[in-house]
Amino acid sequence: MTTAAKAEYKALTNEEAEALVKNLGLISETELSVSEIGDGNLNLVFKVTGVNESVIVKQALPYAKVVGESWPLTLDRARIESDALIHAAKYVPHLVPKVLYTDSILAVTIMEDLSSHTIARKGLIESNAYALLARDIGIFAARTAFYTSDFYLHPFEKKRLVQSFSNPELCKITEDLVFTDPFFDHETNDFPEELRPDVEQLWSDAELCREAGLLKYQFLTQAEVLLHGDLHTGSIFVKEDSTKVIDPEFAFFGPLGFDIGQFIANIALNYLSQHHHSQEPFNRKETQDKLLKTIEETWKTFENEFSRLFREESTEPFAGTDGVLENLLEKTFTDAIGFAGCEIIRRTIGLAHVADLDSISCSDVQHYLKRKALKLGASLIKTRSSVTTIEQFTSRVRGA
Ligand code: SR1
Ligand code: MG
């Protein structure tokens, strides 16, 4: 892998993406085809294919694609993304795509093609179950967190990494879109008029706004571990025997509970959407039960793996002191429940929605489920301290 500085930035055409792959010799075949397959909010994604081989060329645009050129956005996110993938590969090589080439001037990362996988959100909307998903995400979150925490790294190395993963513009998106705008009458919000009374109730809920503000402050100030930063089900590729976490362009040092909170929130949103997607009552119950098990297993795997690493590999003298790990995990769990509540609300009424709910064609059903999501999110934020086990969390989701 090389990091080569090319002349200057320009958004690639299909032909240029293909030529880049050819010139780098990343595919040995001569007959290649290319298509732009990006369906995310921010970047160009080209798939370059030969007869037997294919790679993905991902290029950051100097603006947020979802809004357009009026929203400029740093190209440095491509460097952050490739560095985060390379960093994660040290600890969970089986859970991230292989990075084949990076170019920080073109803001390009070329990586392994994962077309044999499906985006988890799509598979879950189709009511599929993935036996490895919970365990893999729990391991991913625990290892990438522990090995970048002060319990493992020398303080100099930790602070060097915090600097190199400083990601102010992408963090600002999360600070605004997840933690601020949905709690105010802000122009980025996006919801049908039928939901206005429910949304106005959120905006006028002083306790909810205070607690959302406190969670935002944790996100702003707690540089605990290197996070993926956007660990929703659209950032995960799955198939029966493999899970791959992609898209860590929001990576930064933040609170330990954030990635897990975002992941379980997106599973909870899928759970709600199954009232529609899974039409047969028996299948629905089975699908929804599996989703709640996914949430439970994710947290338990995370907790067990983080605890194991803490006991076996911690370099911090206080790691052996009674109560330090227990206290850290309790706080992390409470934060994760609160972050999950914020994610549920923002994916329902904020700028970037989820297809789980938005693809429901019957607007009455969609609004009914969105109301449930808003109530669930608000109650998780306000009463997160009284949710002390993951089973209490899943019973809140079940009762929503
Ligand atoms: C303008 S970006 C909107 C959302 O897309 C990304 O995936 C993040 O979730 C961000 O909040
Ligand atoms: Mg993304």
Side-chain angles (χ1 to χ4, degrees):
M1 188 196 348
T2 337
T3 302
K6 293 278 152 44
E8 61 183 33
Y9 178 85
K10 83 175 280 298
L12 296 176
T13 61
N14 283 10
E15 293 69 33
E16 288 164 339
E18 181 183 324
L20 182 61
V21 170
K22 217 175 237 173
N23 294 341
L24 288 165
L26 293 174
I27 297 187
S28 50
E29 301 163 50
T30 45
E31 284 303 301
L32 301 182
S33 64
V34 60
S35 50
E36 205 280 310
I37 57 167
D39 61 356
N41 292 323
L42 300 177
N43 306 296
L44 293 174
V45 182
F46 303 92
K47 179 173 169 176
V48 182
T49 317
V51 179
N52 301 307
E53 300 165 76
S54 54
V55 295
I56 294 295
V57 178
K58 180 168 177 180
Q59 184 180 39
L61 289 165
Y63 54 87
K65 196 169 83 176
V66 66
V67 173
E69 296 188 31
S70 61
W71 185 340
L73 201 52
T74 176
L75 294 172
D76 190 44
R77 67 190 195 272
R79 175 193 67 83
I80 297 263
E81 171 164 345
S82 55
D83 283 359
L85 287 173
I86 292 164
H87 206 77
K90 290 187 194 168
Y91 309 113
V92 282
H94 60 303
L95 298 179
V96 285
K98 282 190 195 67
V99 174
L100 307 171
Y101 173 82
T102 64
D103 181 328
S104 58
I105 303 293
L106 274 180
V108 155
T109 306
I110 305 186
M111 61 195 121
E112 179 186 4
D113 177 27
L114 298 169
S115 300
S116 57
H117 296 62
T118 308
I119 285 289
R121 186 179 309 286
K122 181 170 178 291
L124 293 171
I125 289 172
E126 289 163 4
S127 310
N128 297 320
Y130 299 96
L132 297 184
L133 178 62
R135 191 180 148 67
D136 284 344
I137 295 302
I139 293 285
F140 174 89
R143 290 192 192 160
T144 55
F146 176 78
Y147 287 116
T148 56
S149 74
D150 286 289
F151 293 104
Y152 180 74
L153 293 177
H154 185 282
F156 295 171
E157 174 61 3
K158 161 84 189 301
K159 287 167 184 76
R160 191 193 66 75
L161 271 186
V162 170
Q163 274 182 335
S164 106
F165 281 98
S166 166
N167 197 358
E169 286 191 36
L170 280 281
C171 283
K172 179 75 165 63
I173 291 179
T174 306
E175 289 149 20
D176 291 344
L177 296 187
V178 179
F179 290 110
T180 311
D181 300 354
F183 302 94
F184 294 89
D185 186 0
H186 196 279
E187 62 185 8
T188 58
N189 290 327
D190 174 18
F191 56 85
E193 270 313 297
E194 290 87 336
L195 288 188
R196 181 163 286 278
D198 308 83
V199 176
E200 286 183 345
Q201 198 177 324
L202 292 191
W203 294 340
S204 64
D205 184 337
E207 185 190 359
L208 174 67
C209 292
R210 181 192 70 218
E211 294 304 317
L214 292 172
L215 286 160
K216 176 181 176 182
Y217 190 68
Q218 308 232 46
F219 182 84
L220 282 162
T221 57
Q222 301 202 336
E224 291 185 297
V225 297
L226 179 60
L227 295 170
H228 176 282
D230 195 25
L231 193 54
H232 57 85
T233 48
S235 299
I236 301 168
F237 266 119
V238 278
K239 59 178 181 160
E240 213 176 295
D241 57 354
S242 165
T243 309
K244 302 277 183 185
V245 175
I246 60 166
D247 269 5
E249 65 200 311
F250 283 75
F252 81 113
F253 274 77
L256 179 52
F258 185 72
D259 280 350
I260 290 283
Q262 283 212 313
F263 177 71
I264 63 177
N266 280 270
I267 301 292
L269 285 166
N270 185 266
Y271 174 97
L272 291 178
S273 78
Q274 291 300 333
H275 287 294
H276 169 82
H277 297 303
S278 196
Q279 294 288 347
E280 298 293 327
F282 175 74
N283 294 346
R284 183 186 310 152
K285 181 167 176 354
E286 202 187 342
T287 303
Q288 288 184 315
D289 285 349
K290 281 187 185 159
L291 289 164
L292 297 186
K293 288 280 166 237
T294 298
I295 291 175
E296 290 170 7
E297 196 188 342
T298 303
W299 171 258
K300 286 178 185 166
T301 303
F302 170 81
E303 188 178 39
N304 288 339
E305 181 67 359
F306 191 90
S307 302
R308 182 186 73 76
L309 294 169
F310 189 95
R311 289 196 194 96
E312 292 176 6
E313 298 194 39
S314 187
T315 55
E316 163 60 50
F318 281 110
T321 304
D322 276 355
V324 171
L325 174 62
E326 292 72 12
N327 199 285
L328 176 70
L329 287 172
E330 266 170 41
K331 179 201 171 294
T332 299
F333 183 71
T334 308
D335 290 352
I337 303 301
F339 294 141
C342 294
E343 173 74 357
I344 288 171
I345 289 179
R346 80 85 171 227
R347 293 292 184 190
T348 308
I349 59 167
L351 176 82
H353 289 194
V354 288
D356 312 54
L357 292 174
D358 276 23
S359 66
I360 298 174
S361 50
C362 172
S363 53
D364 283 351
V365 175
Q366 191 189 115
H367 299 162
Y368 169 76
L369 294 173
K370 286 185 171 177
R371 282 190 190 99
K372 280 180 182 287
L374 292 179
K375 286 210 171 75
L376 174 64
S379 110
L380 292 172
I381 292 170
K382 289 193 283 188
T383 65
R384 63 191 182 284
S385 308
S386 63
V387 181
T388 57
T389 66
I390 194 65
E391 288 79 10
Q392 285 172 5
F393 175 81
T394 51
S395 76
R396 292 280 192 103
V397 177
R398 196 189 293 281

